[in-house]
Structures are given as structure tokens and as C-alpha cells.
């Protein structure tokens, strides 16, 4: 009875999530510096040095910034796909690597991990579900739209950590250069509040998750209350079921530690 998850921080300046049981501690993405990661974990009462493994979703800086130093420090294996490994910045030295393939389950001690492909402009981007003690958690960010595969994979989740990157109007009117706006809006970019709301209100979402964490919010092209309201309104359109708690993962501080 100790499966737990916390988004240590999320956004374009760094992403990292801690998923743990009594026996196993996983860092999902290492987007913060070693110092910042240690500080956030310690403040939560976790022991970072006991990290079992680091998993990498894709090679973008906001997911791997602290990776070389953390992997060296903890001497723990880094799990990633071969294509993501090849796309890491030149000179990235990892002490121990384990490669996985999207679509193939892997087990690290008592946690079963299912990596699956997501549409994003990286070499081989994946999202993950984690299962232990009868509980399923999904961590799904950095995708341009919600394909059928993603809808299937997040079914049965108790906790859904899901991207709600930008408000379309704020992005269109905002300061980003046009090519960057196009990239964010593309099918290989990031999910808008509207795209996330469409998924949450649709029939293909089973509505079982009791905890929904909106993640990878843009600090420039979104506002936390706009993202929250969009998700809450989408969920209220659902005919049946209890509403999940809606939380926001922010850049500057961790979410609650959610426990089962
Ligand atoms: Zn990202
Ligand atoms: Zn990315």
C-alpha cells in the first residue's frame, strides 16, 4: 500500500516525475538540474540516492537536462529507446543503459512499465503507464494530438498525468515567432487545452481516473486557471461517474505526492 507518484515539475523549462513503491524508485525524465532534482525530492521526504532507474521519454532538453549528472551520481541504469539514446546531445555519458522498445512491456522490480509511441517531433518519443499493487498511472506529455493508441493505453488508469500545453488563442496572439507557433500547433507538437478537453469529454476516455494532473503547461501561452477550467468543463460534460480531482503540475514546485 505504498505506490506513489509526484510530478516534481513540468513545463518547457523542465519535466520530471517520481514513481515509487516500497522496493522501487523511478525518475521519469530528468529535466531539472541535479541540484534542483535532489532538492525537490528531499523536500518530499524521498531519498533520491535510492533511485532504482531513470526512464527517458525523449531527448528534448526539458526532459534530459539533468540526466548525465543524475545518472553518474546515482550510478543507476537509464532506460530509453535506442533511437532516443542516439539522439542525446553529443558527449552525453551514461554509466549504464538499458534499451526498451515502444509497445513492449518491461518490469523493474515490482513496477510494470508500458512505453508507447506518441506523435511528437523527437527521434522516438514515448509516454508511459506504470502498474503496481493493482494501481495504474499514466504519464502522457509531449504529443501533437491524441491518437487511438494513447486512448487505449490510458484506459483503466487511477491517475492520469496528461498534457494541457497551450490555449490556442494565447498561442496565436502571443510572442512566439510564427514557425515556433506552427511547430507547437502541429500534429508533432503539443496538446492544446482544447485537444485535451476533447479527449476528456469523449467516449473513448473511460473516466475512471480519480486523479487528473494537467502537465506541461506553457508559461507563455497558457494560464493555469484557463487549463483547469477547460478540463473541469470537459469532465462535467460526461454523463456518468464521479468527477476526478483536477490538479496542475507547475514548473516551479512539485504536485502533491499521490498515494495508494
Ligand atoms: Zn517537453
Ligand atoms: Zn518534447
Amino acid at each position: 500500500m505504498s505506490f506513489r507518484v509526484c510530478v516534481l515539475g513540468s513545463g518547457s523549462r523542465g519535466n520530471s516525475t517520481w514513481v515509487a513503491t516500497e522496493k522501487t524508485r523511478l525518475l521519469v525524465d530528468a529535466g531539472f538540474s541535479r541540484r534542483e532534482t535532489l532538492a525537490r525530492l528531499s523536500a518530499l521526504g524521498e531519498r533520491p540516492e535510492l533511485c532504482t532507474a531513470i526512464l527517458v521519454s525523449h531527448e528534448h532538453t526539458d526532459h534530459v537536462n539533468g540526466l548525465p549528472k543524475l545518472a553518474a551520481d546515482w550510478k543507476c541504469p537509464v532506460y530509453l529507446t535506442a533511437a532516443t539514446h542516439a539522439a542525446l546531445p553529443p558527449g552525453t555519458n551514461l554509466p549504464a543503459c538499458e534499451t526498451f522498445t515502444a509497445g513492449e512491456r518491461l518490469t523493474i522490480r515490482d513496477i510494470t512499465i508500458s512505453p508507447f509511441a506518441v506523435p511528437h517531433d523527437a527521434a522516438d518519443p514515448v509516454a508511459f503507464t506504470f502498474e503496481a499493487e493493482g494501481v495504474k498511472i499514466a504519464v502522457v506529455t509531449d504529443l501533437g494530438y491524441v491518437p487511438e493508441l494513447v486512448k487505449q493505453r490510458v484506459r483503466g488508469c487511477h491517475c492520469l498525468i496528461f498534457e494541457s500545453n497551450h490555449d490556442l488563442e494565447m498561442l496565436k496572439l502571443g510572442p512566439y515567432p510564427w514557425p515556433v507557433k506552427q511547430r507547437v500547433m502541429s500534429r508533432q507538437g503539443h496538446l492544446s487545452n482544447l485537444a485535451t478537453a476533447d479527449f476528456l469529454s469523449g467516449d473513448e476516455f473511460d473516466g475512471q481516473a480519480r486523479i487528473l494532473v494537467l502537465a506541461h503547461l506553457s508559461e507563455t501561452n497558457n494560464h493555469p486557471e484557463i487549463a483547469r477550467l477547460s478540463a473541469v468543463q470537459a469532465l462535467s460534460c460526461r454523463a456518468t461517474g464521479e468527477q476526478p480531482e483536477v490538479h496542475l503540475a507547475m514548473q516551479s514546485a512539485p504536485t502533491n505526492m499521490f498515494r495508494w
Side-chain angles (χ1 to χ4, degrees), residues 11-12 14-15 57-58 60 62-63 120 141-142 163 183 190 216:
S12 59
N15 293 274
S57 65
H58 65 297
H60 288 163
D62 56 320
H63 299 258
H120 189 57
T141 67
D142 298 73
E163 174 163 67
R183 186 227 145 207
H190 290 277
H216 218 302

Side-chain angles (χ1 to χ4, degrees), residues 57 116-120 124-127 140-145 147 149-150 188:
S57 65
F116 51 97
V118 287
H120 189 57
D124 188 17
V126 297
V140 183
T141 67
D142 298 73
L143 64 170
Y145 68 101
L149 176 69
V150 171
Q188 306 270 298

Side-chain angles (χ1 to χ4, degrees), residues 8 14 23-24 46 50 54 66 87 108-109 134 156 159 194 205 214 228 244 254:
L8 301 180
K23 293 183 192 153
T24 314
E46 294 289 333
L50 298 181
I54 302 172
I108 301 178
R109 297 187 185 166
C159 173
L194 184 62
F205 174 52
L214 301 174
R228 183 203 300 274

